[in-house]
Amino acid sequence: MGGRRIILHLDMDAFFASVEQAAHPGWRGKPVVICGEGRSVVATASYEARKLGVKSGQPAGEAKKLAPEAVFVPGNHGKYVWSSLNILEILGKYSPLVEPHSIDEAFADLSGNPEASADPAACANRIKREIREKFGLTCSIGIGSNKLLAKVASDRQKPDGLTVVPADETGWLHALPVEALPGLGEKTAAYLHESGITMIGDLALMQEAVLVQWFGRNGSVLRRMARGEDDAPVQPEFSPLKSISQEWTMPRDTDEAELISGALLWLARLVGRRLRAEGQEGRTVAVKIRYPDFRTVTRAQTVQGYVCLDDEICKIAREVFFRNWRGEKIRLLGVKVSNLSGNSPACTQAGLWPDARERRRDLARAVDRLRDKYGEDIVRPGSNLALFKKV
Ligand code: TTP
Ligand code: MG
C-alpha cells in the first residue's frame, strides 16, 4: 500500500443521552433528552427522541411539545468528560497516536497496528465491541487513509456504524452530497446548491479561483476537502503526566535524622513547585531510599485528599521515611507524587477547551465534581501504581 495510512475516526452515538441511558437501565430504548447545564436548550437527544423530531440546539420547551413522554435530564458535564476519558483509554490500547477531537470524537492512527493493517474492519469492530461491553455505549467509526476521509466515513452509517472507505477513495468521496463534508455550513451548502453543485465530485471539478471568489480563503480549503486531500498527522496533544518526582544523592552517606529531614523538605519543595506549575495535585507520596550498598526501596502512602503544597508533601514524606527507617546510613533520597488529579487522557480533549492548561484545570474540576458526587473511588479506579518500580 506504499505508505498509505490507516486513520480511524470515532464518534459516539447520541453521546450525552447514551451515557445517561447506560447509567439508568430504565431509560434504555426510550426517548431521552439532555438539556444543557443550566440552560433550557437541548444538548442532545437519544435516537428514540430524534425520531419524534427532537434535536440539538432546540429550545427545551419545543422538545417537550414534540416528545412529552421523553425523559428530560439536565446535563452533567463532568460525567461525560469522564466517559470520554474511558473511550480514549480504550483507543490508546490500539495506537499510541490518539487525538481527541471533541468530547465525543477522536482520531487514531492505526498504521502501525498489525491487526488493523491486516483487517481494519475487524479491528474497528473489536474497538466497538470493547466500548459496548465495558460502558454500554455505541459509536460510529470511519476508516480511511487520512483524517478527512475517516471523519466523513464515520458519519455515513449512524448510529452503531462502521464505514471503511473503499480502495477508490476519491470515487467514493465524489459520489457523496456536499453536506457530507465536515464543517460545511448551511449557508455554504445552500449557495453551492443554487450554483448547481450538489455532489462532492462537482465541487472537486471547480476551479480554485472561482471558489476563492465565492468563499474567500475557505474556497481553497473546500476544494482540497472535495479532492479528499488531507495530510495532517494524528497528533496526541501531550502524553498525560503520571507523576512528578525528584531525587538527590546526599553529599555523603548519612544517618543524621536532621540532615535527612532537611533533604526531604528540599525534595518536597522541588516536587511541590513543579506540581503547582503543572496545575496538578496528587494523592500518593512515595519516598525512595537508597543505601550505600545501592539497595533501593520505595515506600508510599496514599492520602484521602489531594496534596500539592510543600508542607503537605514533606509531612507525608517524613512520616513514610521515619516509619521505614531503621537508622542505617542513606546514600540517596527521592520524593514522588503520583495519583495526580489531572493525569488522564481527558486532558487532551482538543476543541473542547482552548488550551492545554485550561483543559487540565477543567478536567480537575470535573473530576472534583465527580468525587463529590460519587466518592473517592470513582476518580481513580485501579490506580495503585507501583511507585519507583525497579525494572
Ligand atoms: P455530536 O457528536 O454532534 O452528537 P451526538 O453524539 O449526541 O449524536 P450523534 O450520534 O449524531 O453523534 O455531539 C456530541 C455531544 O456534544 C452531544 O452528545 C452533546 C454535545 N452537544 C451539545 O451540547 N450541544 C450541541 O449543540 C451539540 C451538537 C452537541
Ligand atoms: Mg456523536
Side-chain angles (χ1 to χ4, degrees):
M1 299 240 279
R4 190 167 170 163
R5 295 181 296 160
I6 304 173
I7 309 297
L8 171 146
H9 179 257
L10 177 152
D11 185 337
M12 301 303 295
D13 300 322
F15 185 49
F16 296 3
S18 304
V19 170
E20 298 298 346
Q21 284 177 317
H24 304 87
W27 297 352
R28 292 180 201 162
K30 294 200 177 136
V32 173
V33 178
I34 310 301
C35 298
E37 239 166 334
R39 282 186 303 143
S40 49
V41 172
V42 174
T44 196
S46 71
Y47 277 78
E48 295 83 1
R50 290 183 196 193
K51 277 190 205 134
L52 304 169
V54 182
K55 53 187 180 196
S56 302
Q58 218 166 38
E62 200 176 310
K64 277 207 172 99
K65 272 185 212 144
L66 289 165
E69 76 275 35
V71 186
F72 283 79
V73 189
N76 178 340
H77 202 74
K79 207 195 265 186
Y80 312 139
V81 170
W82 175 245
S83 189
S84 180
L85 279 181
N86 288 330
I87 310 294
L88 292 173
E89 205 170 302
I90 290 194
L91 279 178
K93 296 204 285 188
Y94 294 82
S95 168
L97 297 174
V98 174
E99 177 183 326
H101 185 65
S102 76
I103 191 162
D104 82 327
E105 285 174 58
F107 292 99
D109 187 336
L110 300 177
S111 310
N113 179 317
E115 187 196 354
S117 305
D119 189 345
C123 184
N125 274 319
R126 205 144 80 84
I127 294 172
K128 280 163 66 77
R129 190 175 341 118
E130 199 171 337
I131 292 175
R132 191 173 55 240
E133 283 170 4
K134 285 216 172 101
F135 310 113
L137 300 171
T138 63
C139 63
S140 297
I141 286 180
I143 293 182
S145 70
N146 65 37
K147 284 158 87 173
L148 169 73
L149 291 162
K151 180 151 166 73
V152 171
S154 72
D155 210 32
R156 296 322 297 163
Q157 304 181 61
K158 261 192 160 294
D160 204 12
L162 169 59
T163 305
V164 180
V165 180
D168 176 16
E169 292 192 307
T170 317
W172 172 84
L173 183 69
H174 285 179
L176 297 174
V178 288
E179 288 79 5
L181 290 175
L184 193 97
E186 267 174 44
K187 275 191 202 154
T188 308
Y191 192 94
L192 288 173
H193 278 248
E194 277 167 29
S195 316
I197 299 168
T198 55
M199 308 306 275
I200 296 177
D202 303 332
L203 192 56
L205 287 176
M206 294 295 295
Q207 286 194 349
E208 187 168 357
V210 176
L211 291 173
V212 169
Q213 204 180 345
W214 288 353
F215 305 112
R217 274 182 51 202
N218 289 340
S220 306
V221 178
L222 211 52
R223 186 162 178 279
R224 263 176 64 79
M225 286 210 294
R227 294 158 63 95
E229 292 167 2
D230 179 18
D231 54 12
V234 172
Q235 275 177 312
E237 283 220 343
F238 55 85
S239 40
L241 193 63
K242 288 229 162 65
S243 64
I244 287 178
S245 63
Q246 182 73 50
E247 45 185 60
W248 189 50
T249 305
M250 310 294 251
R252 55 182 161 81
D253 298 347
T254 180
D255 55 6
E256 292 174 52
E258 250 185 67
L259 248 175
I260 291 168
S261 253
L264 288 171
L265 175 61
W266 184 71
L267 290 166
R269 280 186 181 154
L270 288 172
V271 169
R273 188 179 174 141
R274 272 165 55 207
L275 263 180
R276 292 187 297 277
E278 290 288 341
Q280 296 272 6
E281 299 175 288
R283 285 182 54 212
T284 301
V285 176
V287 176
K288 177 176 179 174
I289 308 166
R290 178 167 296 153
Y291 300 101
D293 61 358
F294 281 85
R295 204 163 35 94
T296 307
V297 296
T298 297
R299 296 290 177 263
Q301 186 174 323
T302 299
V303 294
Q304 274 300 312
Y306 284 101
V307 296
C308 71
L309 303 176
D310 302 347
D311 289 346
E312 298 168 335
I313 300 166
C314 181
K315 182 165 174 281
I316 301 166
R318 282 178 178 163
E319 276 169 20
V320 170
F321 178 86
F322 288 107
R323 202 166 44 233
N324 290 286
W325 185 53
R326 274 179 242 105
E328 309 97 306
K329 283 199 164 172
I330 304 294
R331 175 185 164 81
L332 170 145
L333 285 172
V335 169
K336 170 160 162 170
V337 174
S338 62
N339 261 334
L340 303 185
S341 51
N343 77 348
S344 41
C347 314
T348 62
Q349 286 290 344
L352 192 58
W353 295 295
D355 71 70
R357 171 58 44 74
E358 208 171 311
R359 282 200 293 278
R360 285 184 187 172
R361 234 179 13 232
D362 274 22
L363 173 72
R365 282 198 212 108
V367 170
D368 283 344
R369 282 202 296 274
L370 282 173
R371 253 197 357 251
D372 292 346
K373 196 158 175 193
Y374 302 104
E376 290 295 322
D377 287 349
I378 188 94
V379 182
R380 290 276 156 267
S383 60
N384 295 323
L385 301 176
L387 294 162
F388 295 124
K389 215 195 297 186
K390 275 212 290 180
V391 247

